[in-house]
Amino acid sequence: MATSDEHMAQLVKQLKKDPGMAEQLPGKEGTIVRNALSGQTVYEIAQNYRMSEEAVWGVLRSAARSASGQKIEPVESGGLGSDTDPGITGGYGDTGFGSLDVEPEQGG
């Protein structure tokens, strides 16, 4: 398994394939790429922007894929407690703690 330094070197190599990549990215993402290209570590970047190292890795991986010509598929995911079911009940009917009474009232 590659070390963090080896992984960073590989991403920087990919980013250098498209030198203008950082300028095409919005705000913080472009700055993160520029910082990586200037030699900052993921830890340093994460500390500077008060974000997780994993979030920095995600930005760099995505930019590197794009710089090397790979297609990027956006991923949409719901967070904890997200309502992913359609309709007015949103999948929150019987919870095991009793009904939440979210069913529509039947004509009356």
Side-chain angles (χ1 to χ4, degrees), residues 89 91-103:
T89 64
Y92 292 112
D94 186 9
T95 63
F97 297 104
S99 178
L100 296 178
D101 295 325
V102 294
E103 299 296 324

Side-chain angles (χ1 to χ4, degrees), residues 4 8 40-48 51 53 56-57:
S4 179
M8 181 64 133
Q40 287 188 19
T41 67
V42 169
Y43 174 79
E44 291 169 327
I45 296 168
Q47 292 300 306
N48 290 338
M51 55 194 297
E53 290 179 52
V56 174
W57 282 120

Side-chain angles (χ1 to χ4, degrees), residues 27-106:
K28 189 186 293 186
E29 286 84 359
T31 304
I32 289 170
V33 170
R34 283 189 291 279
N35 290 341
L37 289 170
S38 73
Q40 287 188 19
T41 67
V42 169
Y43 174 79
E44 291 169 327
I45 296 168
Q47 292 300 306
N48 290 338
Y49 294 100
R50 297 179 185 199
M51 55 194 297
S52 71
E53 290 179 52
E54 186 57 38
V56 174
W57 282 120
V59 168
L60 294 175
R61 283 187 202 112
S62 181
R65 280 192 299 269
S66 181
S68 64
Q70 296 178 27
K71 185 176 179 184
I72 299 173
E73 294 289 332
V75 176
E76 186 174 326
S77 62
L80 181 63
S82 293
D83 178 359
T84 58
D85 292 337
I88 60 171
T89 64
Y92 292 112
D94 186 9
T95 63
F97 297 104
S99 178
L100 296 178
D101 295 325
V102 294
E103 299 296 324
E105 292 190 27
Q106 300 299 320

